[in-house]
Amino acid sequence: MIRFLTLSLACIFALTAATPPGARSSDVTLLDLVEVELGYSIVTNEFYERVPVPIVLKGARDGIVTYLRAHGVANPIVGMPHAAPDGRGAVPAIEQQIGRAIVRYGSHIVTRDLIYATIRGEVAALHDPYAVFFTKAEVARFSQALDGTGFGGIGAAIGRDDTANSWHIKEVFAGSPAARAGLLPDDVITAIDGRALDDPTAELAGARLRGTVGSRVRLSIVRAGAALPAPIVVTRAIVTPPATTQRMLADRIGYVALRSFDATAGDEVNAALRTLSAKGARAFVFDLRDNGGGYESAAAAVASRFIAKGPIVIIQDKHGKRRTTVADGKPATARPLVVLVNANSASGSELAAGAIQDAKRGTIVGVKTFGKGVVQTIVPLPDGAAIKLTSARYFTAHGRDIEKVGLTPDVTVVQPDGARFGVPGSDPQLDRALAILGAPSRTASMPPSAIAQPSGTPVPTSPPQERERRSPTSGK
């Protein structure tokens, strides 16, 4: 690596010696070159499948070209980097094209941004729907969201309709800035601060809604098929989304809904189960609908709250090596159990539900789950930026591969339009769960208006899903 960096430094500074006035070649630093080196290394070494070197090199070039076009260069001249099939010479070749771009178009370039664009191109070349390049600020926001900590947000969950290529409000948290501003569930967001909301991933879309506490964000909204005459202005505030919902339903059925698998999910579910058990719960409904996942370790910890012993999940790396995570031997309950899932139950939700299903610990009710059987890793860069990409596959305790397949519930119940998640009598999937547990299904222990519903896709204000589909209501 040191030899490559030395050669690359010599190459770039030689190229930029005759840079025209106004160029920003002096911005090139050793750290910039280290970022290029590590970005390439992460993409080629950490991804869970082998990626041909030419594909990554083309991605780097595409990133450079995209950046230049976005910064006023209509027809940028950027050569195609070339290297040996085993990758030798790849990094110097990429750095050479960066250096030449600086020479030709220096007045249009901020060097670090160009390097970021290059790495983004390499990440895009993976065609991994879960891979994202994060700046330092985006890393901080993503970590806050994944861990469920308070941050500046609007207090609403959004979801993507892939068919309509649109983002819409899935849930508005009570008392939140979004609620005060008048946002409603099913509102379609067409633009944020005048810029079209066309980000393809939950992380990027959510990042645009988060921001400094007290700052304002303007949302262009389509409601009931018609565009509102003016944007809705929301003042961001500290938002700490609830991770769990718990209450006692009729006939002593404990109900626990989990929004996402953040770092403390295992402890929160454990506390909820023990609290309801102390109040006399004779059975449990565990609601994982629209839970898009989170930390693998948290999902294993949650599954261990229901399973006394045995395997929870099998993780396989890119070399085919497998490791098995087993229950930690500290279950919170052995009482009868029904788990609710839907098409937006993904990743950690499928891990936990699959473990429960394989162990025959409970009955799975709902519809086939999303089908995300891969694991993501966030790898940092020296300046605080990071790359998130798929690094492994996982299989259920019995070795089932659910990637693009999903889990099939033991009892299939399709949720109709207009159902109110978590409200007995208005939630057919919950009603079936209650019937399985031998309880009345149409009486809640508290008014529906006081019942917190499970989340939609918790993008802007809670742990995000890696990907989602359209859901009736909708993370690593």
Side-chain angles (χ1 to χ4, degrees):
M1 172 176 168
I2 296 299
R3 184 174 65 87
F4 281 167
L5 287 175
T6 301
L7 291 173
S8 299
L9 277 168
C11 175
I12 287 183
F13 285 116
L15 282 168
T16 58
T19 300
R24 306 180 70 161
S25 61
S26 60
D27 290 344
V28 178
T29 67
L30 179 60
L31 178 59
D32 292 329
L33 298 174
V34 170
E35 298 271 308
V36 176
E37 172 91 25
L38 290 181
Y40 175 84
S41 176
I42 291 166
V43 168
T44 55
N45 294 329
E46 300 297 330
F47 190 54
Y48 79 125
E49 294 178 343
R50 181 183 175 276
V51 186
V53 171
I55 296 297
V56 182
L57 294 177
K58 182 180 182 300
R61 179 187 182 274
D62 290 346
I64 296 171
V65 169
T66 298
Y67 176 86
L68 292 173
R69 285 176 176 166
H71 289 78
V73 182
N75 297 296
I77 300 172
V78 180
M80 180 65 70
H82 295 286
D86 63 0
R88 286 178 297 170
V91 172
I94 293 170
E95 290 171 344
Q96 183 182 61
Q97 295 308 321
I98 292 173
R100 287 176 174 171
I102 292 172
V103 170
R104 290 187 178 113
Y105 311 110
S107 62
H108 297 268
I109 289 172
V110 175
T111 301
R112 185 60 57 84
D113 291 344
L114 176 62
I115 288 170
Y116 283 173
T118 304
I119 298 173
R120 283 194 182 94
E122 295 170 4
V123 172
L126 298 175
H127 295 291
D128 176 2
Y130 310 113
V132 181
F133 173 84
F134 291 124
T135 65
K136 182 178 181 179
E138 289 168 343
V139 168
R141 289 194 291 268
F142 179 78
S143 298
Q144 286 178 326
L146 194 60
D147 290 331
T149 54
F151 53 86
I154 68 169
I158 68 173
R160 183 169 176 80
D161 183 342
D162 288 331
T163 301
N165 193 30
S166 65
W167 289 92
H168 48 276
I169 301 289
K170 305 303 293 183
E171 181 184 6
V172 178
F173 301 148
S176 68
R180 292 192 293 272
L183 287 171
L184 300 175
D186 295 327
D187 281 350
V188 175
I189 306 174
T190 58
I192 298 176
D193 289 329
R195 176 184 163 196
L197 182 57
D198 52 7
D199 298 299
T201 65
E203 292 92 341
L204 296 177
R208 292 177 59 188
L209 290 172
R210 294 188 288 271
T212 304
V213 172
S215 63
R216 294 183 176 184
V217 59
R218 295 181 300 111
L219 306 181
S220 299
I221 298 294
V222 171
R223 180 174 292 168
L228 297 187
I232 291 180
V233 180
V234 186
T235 301
R236 296 182 179 97
I238 291 291
V239 176
T240 303
T244 59
T245 297
Q246 66 181 72
R247 64 185 182 277
M248 190 78 79
L249 300 179
D251 201 29
R252 297 186 296 118
I253 303 297
Y255 174 85
V256 178
L258 181 65
R259 179 184 298 275
S260 65
F261 291 88
D262 61 27
T264 62
D267 292 337
E268 293 184 36
V269 170
N270 183 67
L273 293 172
R274 293 192 182 280
T275 296
L276 291 171
S277 294
K279 293 180 178 179
R282 66 172 185 81
F284 288 97
V285 174
F286 185 41
D287 196 340
L288 290 176
R289 292 175 295 183
D290 294 345
N291 181 323
Y295 292 116
E296 170 206 334
S297 58
V302 167
S304 292
R305 303 290 72 79
F306 299 99
I307 299 172
K309 61 180 181 179
I312 298 294
V313 65
I314 300 167
I315 304 296
Q316 178 177 296
D317 66 20
K318 67 183 299 181
H319 304 293
K321 185 178 180 180
R322 292 189 172 193
R323 63 176 172 84
T324 300
T325 299
V326 299
D328 61 17
K330 301 176 182 178
T333 180
R335 293 176 173 85
L337 172 68
V338 172
V339 179
L340 299 180
V341 296
N342 67 3
N344 285 307
S345 300
S347 190
S349 291
E350 294 170 298
L351 188 160
I356 290 169
Q357 189 175 51
D358 281 357
K360 300 187 184 303
R361 174 61 185 84
T363 302
I364 312 299
V365 172
V367 297
K368 184 176 289 187
T369 59
F370 185 87
K372 181 175 181 292
V374 289
V375 178
Q376 281 69 52
T377 298
I378 298 178
V379 186
L381 292 169
D383 71 343
I387 297 173
K388 178 174 74 68
L389 77 177
T390 300
S391 56
R393 298 183 68 107
Y394 80 79
F395 302 86
T396 70
H398 287 178
R400 290 184 290 163
D401 183 358
I402 66 164
E403 174 65 10
K404 298 181 181 179
V405 176
L407 291 172
T408 299
D410 302 307
V411 178
T412 297
V413 178
V414 177
Q415 197 82 324
D417 292 339
R420 299 182 62 194
F421 278 27
V423 181
S426 297
D427 182 346
Q429 292 171 339
L430 175 59
D431 291 344
R432 179 63 66 86
L434 295 174
I436 290 171
L437 295 172
S441 62
R442 302 187 65 83
T443 303
S445 61
M446 58 193 301
S449 61
I451 296 176
Q453 297 184 25
S455 73
T457 300
V459 176
T461 52
S462 64
Q465 289 187 332
E466 302 294 349
R467 183 184 177 192
E468 74 176 298
R469 297 171 180 155
R470 175 70 170 172
S471 71
T473 63
S474 176
K476 153 182 162 182

mmCIF file of all heavy atoms in Angstrom, residues 7-45:
data_model
loop_
_atom_site.group_PDB
_atom_site.id
_atom_site.type_symbol
_atom_site.label_atom_id
_atom_site.label_comp_id
_atom_site.label_asym_id
_atom_site.label_seq_id
_atom_site.Cartn_x
_atom_site.Cartn_y
_atom_site.Cartn_z
ATOM 1 N N LEU A 7 3.753 6.140 -5.377
ATOM 2 C CA LEU A 7 3.684 6.301 -6.822
ATOM 3 C C LEU A 7 2.532 7.206 -7.215
ATOM 4 O O LEU A 7 2.649 8.053 -8.108
ATOM 5 C CB LEU A 7 3.526 4.932 -7.486
ATOM 6 C CG LEU A 7 4.747 4.005 -7.416
ATOM 7 C CD1 LEU A 7 4.376 2.632 -7.967
ATOM 8 C CD2 LEU A 7 5.917 4.594 -8.187
ATOM 9 N N SER A 8 1.394 7.030 -6.539
ATOM 10 C CA SER A 8 0.219 7.812 -6.886
ATOM 11 C C SER A 8 0.424 9.273 -6.557
ATOM 12 O O SER A 8 0.017 10.161 -7.313
ATOM 13 C CB SER A 8 -1.006 7.278 -6.136
ATOM 14 O OG SER A 8 -1.243 5.940 -6.516
ATOM 15 N N LEU A 9 1.035 9.538 -5.406
ATOM 16 C CA LEU A 9 1.322 10.926 -5.043
ATOM 17 C C LEU A 9 2.207 11.578 -6.097
ATOM 18 O O LEU A 9 1.948 12.704 -6.545
ATOM 19 C CB LEU A 9 2.024 10.967 -3.686
ATOM 20 C CG LEU A 9 1.130 10.901 -2.449
ATOM 21 C CD1 LEU A 9 1.983 10.655 -1.216
ATOM 22 C CD2 LEU A 9 0.342 12.191 -2.291
ATOM 23 N N ALA A 10 3.241 10.858 -6.494
ATOM 24 C CA ALA A 10 4.149 11.405 -7.497
ATOM 25 C C ALA A 10 3.414 11.683 -8.790
ATOM 26 O O ALA A 10 3.608 12.712 -9.441
ATOM 27 C CB ALA A 10 5.304 10.429 -7.740
ATOM 28 N N CYS A 11 2.537 10.745 -9.175
ATOM 29 C CA CYS A 11 1.784 10.889 -10.412
ATOM 30 C C CYS A 11 0.869 12.097 -10.367
ATOM 31 O O CYS A 11 0.861 12.928 -11.280
ATOM 32 C CB CYS A 11 0.958 9.618 -10.651
ATOM 33 S SG CYS A 11 -0.147 9.721 -12.079
ATOM 34 N N ILE A 12 0.104 12.223 -9.299
ATOM 35 C CA ILE A 12 -0.880 13.304 -9.226
ATOM 36 C C ILE A 12 -0.208 14.656 -9.136
ATOM 37 O O ILE A 12 -0.576 15.600 -9.825
ATOM 38 C CB ILE A 12 -1.834 13.081 -8.044
ATOM 39 C CG1 ILE A 12 -2.790 11.938 -8.392
ATOM 40 C CG2 ILE A 12 -2.627 14.336 -7.743
ATOM 41 C CD1 ILE A 12 -3.832 11.663 -7.350
ATOM 42 N N PHE A 13 0.796 14.776 -8.302
ATOM 43 C CA PHE A 13 1.430 16.079 -8.162
ATOM 44 C C PHE A 13 2.221 16.456 -9.415
ATOM 45 O O PHE A 13 2.347 17.626 -9.751
ATOM 46 C CB PHE A 13 2.307 16.125 -6.922
ATOM 47 C CG PHE A 13 1.498 16.223 -5.668
ATOM 48 C CD1 PHE A 13 1.505 15.211 -4.728
ATOM 49 C CD2 PHE A 13 0.688 17.326 -5.443
ATOM 50 C CE1 PHE A 13 0.741 15.306 -3.577
ATOM 51 C CE2 PHE A 13 -0.075 17.429 -4.281
ATOM 52 C CZ PHE A 13 -0.060 16.415 -3.353
ATOM 53 N N ALA A 14 2.710 15.443 -10.138
ATOM 54 C CA ALA A 14 3.357 15.742 -11.414
ATOM 55 C C ALA A 14 2.332 16.259 -12.410
ATOM 56 O O ALA A 14 2.571 17.219 -13.145
ATOM 57 C CB ALA A 14 4.039 14.495 -11.973
ATOM 58 N N LEU A 15 1.148 15.628 -12.404
ATOM 59 C CA LEU A 15 0.099 16.041 -13.322
ATOM 60 C C LEU A 15 -0.388 17.447 -13.020
ATOM 61 O O LEU A 15 -0.732 18.208 -13.915
ATOM 62 C CB LEU A 15 -1.082 15.069 -13.245
ATOM 63 C CG LEU A 15 -0.924 13.735 -13.977
ATOM 64 C CD1 LEU A 15 -2.040 12.793 -13.554
ATOM 65 C CD2 LEU A 15 -0.955 13.945 -15.481
ATOM 66 N N THR A 16 -0.452 17.792 -11.731
ATOM 67 C CA THR A 16 -1.042 19.065 -11.347
ATOM 68 C C THR A 16 -0.037 20.204 -11.294
ATOM 69 O O THR A 16 -0.390 21.324 -10.968
ATOM 70 C CB THR A 16 -1.707 18.926 -9.969
ATOM 71 O OG1 THR A 16 -0.730 18.502 -9.026
ATOM 72 C CG2 THR A 16 -2.848 17.925 -9.998
ATOM 73 N N ALA A 17 1.203 19.923 -11.655
ATOM 74 C CA ALA A 17 2.208 20.981 -11.592
ATOM 75 C C ALA A 17 1.880 22.122 -12.532
ATOM 76 O O ALA A 17 2.183 23.285 -12.261
ATOM 77 C CB ALA A 17 3.589 20.403 -11.941
ATOM 78 N N ALA A 18 1.237 21.790 -13.656
ATOM 79 C CA ALA A 18 0.923 22.826 -14.642
ATOM 80 C C ALA A 18 -0.559 23.177 -14.637
ATOM 81 O O ALA A 18 -1.112 23.581 -15.645
ATOM 82 C CB ALA A 18 1.335 22.353 -16.026
ATOM 83 N N THR A 19 -1.194 23.000 -13.502
ATOM 84 C CA THR A 19 -2.629 23.259 -13.399
ATOM 85 C C THR A 19 -2.921 24.731 -13.630
ATOM 86 O O THR A 19 -2.213 25.601 -13.134
ATOM 87 C CB THR A 19 -3.126 22.869 -11.987
ATOM 88 O OG1 THR A 19 -2.862 21.491 -11.816
ATOM 89 C CG2 THR A 19 -4.610 23.105 -11.860
ATOM 90 N N PRO A 20 -3.954 25.061 -14.407
ATOM 91 C CA PRO A 20 -4.286 26.464 -14.665
ATOM 92 C C PRO A 20 -4.728 27.177 -13.408
ATOM 93 O O PRO A 20 -5.152 26.540 -12.445
ATOM 94 C CB PRO A 20 -5.435 26.365 -15.693
ATOM 95 C CG PRO A 20 -6.011 24.997 -15.498
ATOM 96 C CD PRO A 20 -4.866 24.133 -15.110
ATOM 97 N N PRO A 21 -4.640 28.532 -13.388
ATOM 98 C CA PRO A 21 -5.057 29.302 -12.204
ATOM 99 C C PRO A 21 -6.503 29.001 -11.839
ATOM 100 O O PRO A 21 -7.351 28.814 -12.708
ATOM 101 C CB PRO A 21 -4.886 30.763 -12.662
ATOM 102 C CG PRO A 21 -3.875 30.692 -13.760
ATOM 103 C CD PRO A 21 -4.101 29.393 -14.456
ATOM 104 N N GLY A 22 -6.768 28.996 -10.552
ATOM 105 C CA GLY A 22 -8.121 28.740 -10.072
ATOM 106 C C GLY A 22 -8.409 27.291 -9.775
ATOM 107 O O GLY A 22 -9.419 26.959 -9.167
ATOM 108 N N ALA A 23 -7.540 26.385 -10.243
ATOM 109 C CA ALA A 23 -7.766 24.967 -9.952
ATOM 110 C C ALA A 23 -7.512 24.699 -8.487
ATOM 111 O O ALA A 23 -6.851 25.458 -7.804
ATOM 112 C CB ALA A 23 -6.837 24.113 -10.819
ATOM 113 N N ARG A 24 -8.039 23.572 -8.012
ATOM 114 C CA ARG A 24 -7.950 23.281 -6.592
ATOM 115 C C ARG A 24 -7.114 22.042 -6.346
ATOM 116 O O ARG A 24 -7.387 21.253 -5.465
ATOM 117 C CB ARG A 24 -9.359 23.118 -6.035
ATOM 118 C CG ARG A 24 -10.224 24.344 -6.361
ATOM 119 C CD ARG A 24 -11.619 24.222 -5.821
ATOM 120 N NE ARG A 24 -11.596 24.313 -4.370
ATOM 121 C CZ ARG A 24 -12.689 24.607 -3.654
ATOM 122 N NH1 ARG A 24 -13.825 24.836 -4.242
ATOM 123 N NH2 ARG A 24 -12.623 24.657 -2.337
ATOM 124 N N SER A 25 -6.065 21.835 -7.149
ATOM 125 C CA SER A 25 -5.233 20.651 -7.000
ATOM 126 C C SER A 25 -4.511 20.618 -5.677
ATOM 127 O O SER A 25 -4.142 19.564 -5.180
ATOM 128 C CB SER A 25 -4.229 20.587 -8.144
ATOM 129 O OG SER A 25 -3.397 21.729 -8.121
ATOM 130 N N SER A 26 -4.285 21.779 -5.074
ATOM 131 C CA SER A 26 -3.577 21.812 -3.795
ATOM 132 C C SER A 26 -4.377 21.149 -2.690
ATOM 133 O O SER A 26 -3.854 20.894 -1.609
ATOM 134 C CB SER A 26 -3.273 23.259 -3.409
ATOM 135 O OG SER A 26 -4.468 24.013 -3.291
ATOM 136 N N ASP A 27 -5.650 20.883 -2.958
ATOM 137 C CA ASP A 27 -6.478 20.201 -1.970
ATOM 138 C C ASP A 27 -6.108 18.726 -1.826
ATOM 139 O O ASP A 27 -6.546 18.075 -0.893
ATOM 140 C CB ASP A 27 -7.962 20.291 -2.341
ATOM 141 C CG ASP A 27 -8.521 21.698 -2.188
ATOM 142 O OD1 ASP A 27 -7.885 22.531 -1.527
ATOM 143 O OD2 ASP A 27 -9.596 21.941 -2.748
ATOM 144 N N VAL A 28 -5.351 18.174 -2.786
ATOM 145 C CA VAL A 28 -5.006 16.756 -2.725
ATOM 146 C C VAL A 28 -4.038 16.517 -1.575
ATOM 147 O O VAL A 28 -2.989 17.142 -1.487
ATOM 148 C CB VAL A 28 -4.365 16.288 -4.050
ATOM 149 C CG1 VAL A 28 -3.975 14.815 -3.943
ATOM 150 C CG2 VAL A 28 -5.331 16.496 -5.202
ATOM 151 N N THR A 29 -4.412 15.605 -0.689
ATOM 152 C CA THR A 29 -3.575 15.287 0.464
ATOM 153 C C THR A 29 -3.334 13.785 0.539
ATOM 154 O O THR A 29 -3.976 12.995 -0.165
ATOM 155 C CB THR A 29 -4.255 15.743 1.768
ATOM 156 O OG1 THR A 29 -5.430 14.939 1.976
ATOM 157 C CG2 THR A 29 -4.642 17.214 1.716
ATOM 158 N N LEU A 30 -2.425 13.424 1.408
ATOM 159 C CA LEU A 30 -2.199 11.999 1.641
ATOM 160 C C LEU A 30 -3.472 11.320 2.119
ATOM 161 O O LEU A 30 -3.781 10.188 1.727
ATOM 162 C CB LEU A 30 -1.076 11.814 2.667
ATOM 163 C CG LEU A 30 -0.745 10.360 3.041
ATOM 164 C CD1 LEU A 30 -0.303 9.581 1.807
ATOM 165 C CD2 LEU A 30 0.333 10.319 4.116
ATOM 166 N N LEU A 31 -4.246 12.024 2.961
ATOM 167 C CA LEU A 31 -5.504 11.446 3.438
ATOM 168 C C LEU A 31 -6.455 11.162 2.276
ATOM 169 O O LEU A 31 -7.142 10.132 2.259
ATOM 170 C CB LEU A 31 -6.170 12.384 4.448
ATOM 171 C CG LEU A 31 -7.534 11.923 5.001
ATOM 172 C CD1 LEU A 31 -7.403 10.576 5.701
ATOM 173 C CD2 LEU A 31 -8.097 12.973 5.963
ATOM 174 N N ASP A 32 -6.491 12.065 1.289
ATOM 175 C CA ASP A 32 -7.343 11.830 0.130
ATOM 176 C C ASP A 32 -6.980 10.516 -0.555
ATOM 177 O O ASP A 32 -7.844 9.709 -0.919
ATOM 178 C CB ASP A 32 -7.183 12.974 -0.887
ATOM 179 C CG ASP A 32 -7.735 14.296 -0.384
ATOM 180 O OD1 ASP A 32 -8.712 14.268 0.392
ATOM 181 O OD2 ASP A 32 -7.186 15.340 -0.768
ATOM 182 N N LEU A 33 -5.685 10.281 -0.707
ATOM 183 C CA LEU A 33 -5.231 9.072 -1.391
ATOM 184 C C LEU A 33 -5.476 7.823 -0.554
ATOM 185 O O LEU A 33 -5.784 6.751 -1.078
ATOM 186 C CB LEU A 33 -3.758 9.208 -1.753
ATOM 187 C CG LEU A 33 -3.462 10.368 -2.726
ATOM 188 C CD1 LEU A 33 -1.967 10.519 -2.927
ATOM 189 C CD2 LEU A 33 -4.162 10.143 -4.053
ATOM 190 N N VAL A 34 -5.352 7.967 0.753
ATOM 191 C CA VAL A 34 -5.678 6.844 1.635
ATOM 192 C C VAL A 34 -7.162 6.494 1.496
ATOM 193 O O VAL A 34 -7.543 5.317 1.480
ATOM 194 C CB VAL A 34 -5.338 7.187 3.104
ATOM 195 C CG1 VAL A 34 -5.898 6.129 4.045
ATOM 196 C CG2 VAL A 34 -3.824 7.280 3.276
ATOM 197 N N GLU A 35 -8.019 7.530 1.389
ATOM 198 C CA GLU A 35 -9.454 7.286 1.213
ATOM 199 C C GLU A 35 -9.709 6.493 -0.075
ATOM 200 O O GLU A 35 -10.520 5.563 -0.096
ATOM 201 C CB GLU A 35 -10.201 8.621 1.151
ATOM 202 C CG GLU A 35 -10.092 9.458 2.404
ATOM 203 C CD GLU A 35 -11.179 9.163 3.414
ATOM 204 O OE1 GLU A 35 -12.353 9.188 3.044
ATOM 205 O OE2 GLU A 35 -10.834 8.916 4.580
ATOM 206 N N VAL A 36 -9.027 6.867 -1.148
ATOM 207 C CA VAL A 36 -9.193 6.144 -2.403
ATOM 208 C C VAL A 36 -8.771 4.687 -2.241
ATOM 209 O O VAL A 36 -9.465 3.756 -2.669
ATOM 210 C CB VAL A 36 -8.375 6.815 -3.527
ATOM 211 C CG1 VAL A 36 -8.463 5.989 -4.816
ATOM 212 C CG2 VAL A 36 -8.868 8.224 -3.778
ATOM 213 N N GLU A 37 -7.596 4.497 -1.621
ATOM 214 C CA GLU A 37 -7.063 3.139 -1.421
ATOM 215 C C GLU A 37 -8.020 2.282 -0.598
ATOM 216 O O GLU A 37 -8.372 1.157 -0.977
ATOM 217 C CB GLU A 37 -5.714 3.226 -0.713
ATOM 218 C CG GLU A 37 -5.130 1.886 -0.281
ATOM 219 C CD GLU A 37 -4.241 1.273 -1.339
ATOM 220 O OE1 GLU A 37 -3.702 2.005 -2.167
ATOM 221 O OE2 GLU A 37 -4.090 0.042 -1.313
ATOM 222 N N LEU A 38 -8.461 2.829 0.520
ATOM 223 C CA LEU A 38 -9.323 2.049 1.409
ATOM 224 C C LEU A 38 -10.708 1.847 0.809
ATOM 225 O O LEU A 38 -11.323 0.791 0.997
ATOM 226 C CB LEU A 38 -9.421 2.736 2.768
ATOM 227 C CG LEU A 38 -8.142 2.694 3.616
ATOM 228 C CD1 LEU A 38 -8.377 3.395 4.949
ATOM 229 C CD2 LEU A 38 -7.682 1.264 3.850
ATOM 230 N N GLY A 39 -11.218 2.854 0.100
ATOM 231 C CA GLY A 39 -12.519 2.691 -0.533
ATOM 232 C C GLY A 39 -12.521 1.523 -1.495
ATOM 233 O O GLY A 39 -13.416 0.670 -1.473
ATOM 234 N N TYR A 40 -11.494 1.451 -2.326
ATOM 235 C CA TYR A 40 -11.375 0.327 -3.270
ATOM 236 C C TYR A 40 -11.235 -0.994 -2.521
ATOM 237 O O TYR A 40 -11.868 -2.000 -2.865
ATOM 238 C CB TYR A 40 -10.179 0.544 -4.188
ATOM 239 C CG TYR A 40 -9.918 -0.617 -5.119
ATOM 240 C CD1 TYR A 40 -10.592 -0.738 -6.316
ATOM 241 C CD2 TYR A 40 -8.996 -1.614 -4.766
ATOM 242 C CE1 TYR A 40 -10.367 -1.820 -7.164
ATOM 243 C CE2 TYR A 40 -8.761 -2.695 -5.607
ATOM 244 C CZ TYR A 40 -9.447 -2.794 -6.803
ATOM 245 O OH TYR A 40 -9.225 -3.876 -7.627
ATOM 246 N N SER A 41 -10.413 -1.004 -1.470
ATOM 247 C CA SER A 41 -10.172 -2.232 -0.706
ATOM 248 C C SER A 41 -11.444 -2.739 -0.051
ATOM 249 O O SER A 41 -11.737 -3.942 -0.064
ATOM 250 C CB SER A 41 -9.094 -1.978 0.353
ATOM 251 O OG SER A 41 -8.893 -3.118 1.159
ATOM 252 N N ILE A 42 -12.231 -1.829 0.522
ATOM 253 C CA ILE A 42 -13.477 -2.234 1.187
ATOM 254 C C ILE A 42 -14.441 -2.845 0.181
ATOM 255 O O ILE A 42 -15.035 -3.904 0.419
ATOM 256 C CB ILE A 42 -14.110 -1.024 1.896
ATOM 257 C CG1 ILE A 42 -13.257 -0.601 3.092
ATOM 258 C CG2 ILE A 42 -15.526 -1.352 2.362
ATOM 259 C CD1 ILE A 42 -13.622 0.763 3.643
ATOM 260 N N VAL A 43 -14.602 -2.174 -0.951
ATOM 261 C CA VAL A 43 -15.548 -2.655 -1.955
ATOM 262 C C VAL A 43 -15.153 -4.034 -2.477
ATOM 263 O O VAL A 43 -16.001 -4.912 -2.665
ATOM 264 C CB VAL A 43 -15.658 -1.646 -3.110
ATOM 265 C CG1 VAL A 43 -16.394 -2.248 -4.303
ATOM 266 C CG2 VAL A 43 -16.365 -0.380 -2.641
ATOM 267 N N THR A 44 -13.876 -4.254 -2.695
ATOM 268 C CA THR A 44 -13.436 -5.520 -3.287
ATOM 269 C C THR A 44 -13.237 -6.640 -2.270
ATOM 270 O O THR A 44 -13.378 -7.819 -2.615
ATOM 271 C CB THR A 44 -12.127 -5.320 -4.064
ATOM 272 O OG1 THR A 44 -11.144 -4.723 -3.206
ATOM 273 C CG2 THR A 44 -12.357 -4.417 -5.269
ATOM 274 N N ASN A 45 -12.918 -6.281 -1.018
ATOM 275 C CA ASN A 45 -12.601 -7.316 -0.028
ATOM 276 C C ASN A 45 -13.729 -7.628 0.950
ATOM 277 O O ASN A 45 -13.804 -8.749 1.471
ATOM 278 C CB ASN A 45 -11.361 -6.915 0.782
ATOM 279 C CG ASN A 45 -10.112 -6.875 -0.065
ATOM 280 O OD1 ASN A 45 -9.980 -7.622 -1.028
ATOM 281 N ND2 ASN A 45 -9.190 -5.986 0.279
#
